[in-house]
Amino acid sequence: MPDVSPDIDLIRSRLLAWYDDHARRLPWRAAVGAPRTEPYRVWLSEVMLQQTQTDRVVPKYEAFLREFPTVGALSQASVAEVVRMWMGLGYYRRALNLHKAAQVICADHAGIFPKTVEGLRALPGVGAYTAAAVAAF
């Protein structure tokens, strides 16, 4: 039988080119050719997008970032402030876990996101999917 293994480099380049041309432009995605997206922004978007439509998340995401532009700012906010900014997204446990995780990141990791999936999964409210997404970006 002949070797029909795909040319991985060719597939990768074609897939990335297609993505550059067709991907939806969203505020948490890095622009084509821009540096990678910050872990904080990816994490925030992933948590907000859990069981919530993208069109509802975009304005809330942008407002949340204006209020809490960094994980440090989020960690220092009161629970009431975080919940107020979360209003309209539902499932408030996500907001509470986001706040707790920000505090852990700042207290235990000097404000730097863990670099491994295992380290990310140790954060409050971060499951396998979210950890993998943050680690990938």
Side-chain angles (χ1 to χ4, degrees):
M1 188 177 269
D3 180 14
V4 291
S5 60
D7 182 336
I8 297 301
D9 291 333
L10 177 62
I11 292 171
R12 181 182 297 122
S13 67
R14 285 184 179 173
L15 180 60
L16 291 173
W18 180 92
Y19 180 84
D20 287 346
D21 290 341
H22 296 93
R24 284 172 54 178
R25 302 297 176 220
L26 297 168
W28 48 84
R29 289 186 179 159
V32 175
R36 291 175 11 166
T37 303
E38 297 173 28
Y40 174 63
R41 291 171 177 254
V42 174
W43 171 57
L44 179 59
S45 71
E46 290 295 333
V47 173
M48 286 184 164
L49 288 164
Q50 293 168 4
Q51 299 181 2
T52 307
Q53 294 174 341
T54 304
D55 293 342
R56 288 186 52 213
V57 168
V58 169
K60 297 301 282 184
Y61 172 86
E62 291 170 337
F64 202 92
L65 272 181
R66 282 191 299 275
E67 190 76 17
F68 312 115
T70 64
V71 70
L74 177 57
S75 76
Q76 294 174 359
S78 71
V79 170
E81 290 173 300
V82 174
V83 168
R84 178 180 57 81
M85 291 304 297
W86 195 265
M87 287 179 136
L89 292 174
Y91 302 101
Y92 288 91
R93 173 167 280 195
R94 294 181 296 168
L96 300 176
N97 281 329
L98 201 68
H99 186 246
K100 286 180 199 171
Q103 291 177 325
V104 169
I105 291 165
C106 289
D108 298 349
H109 303 280
I112 298 169
F113 274 76
K115 301 222 182 284
T116 65
V117 170
E118 295 77 21
L120 291 162
R121 293 236 18 222
L123 298 172
V126 176
Y129 182 88
T130 300
V134 173
F137 290 101

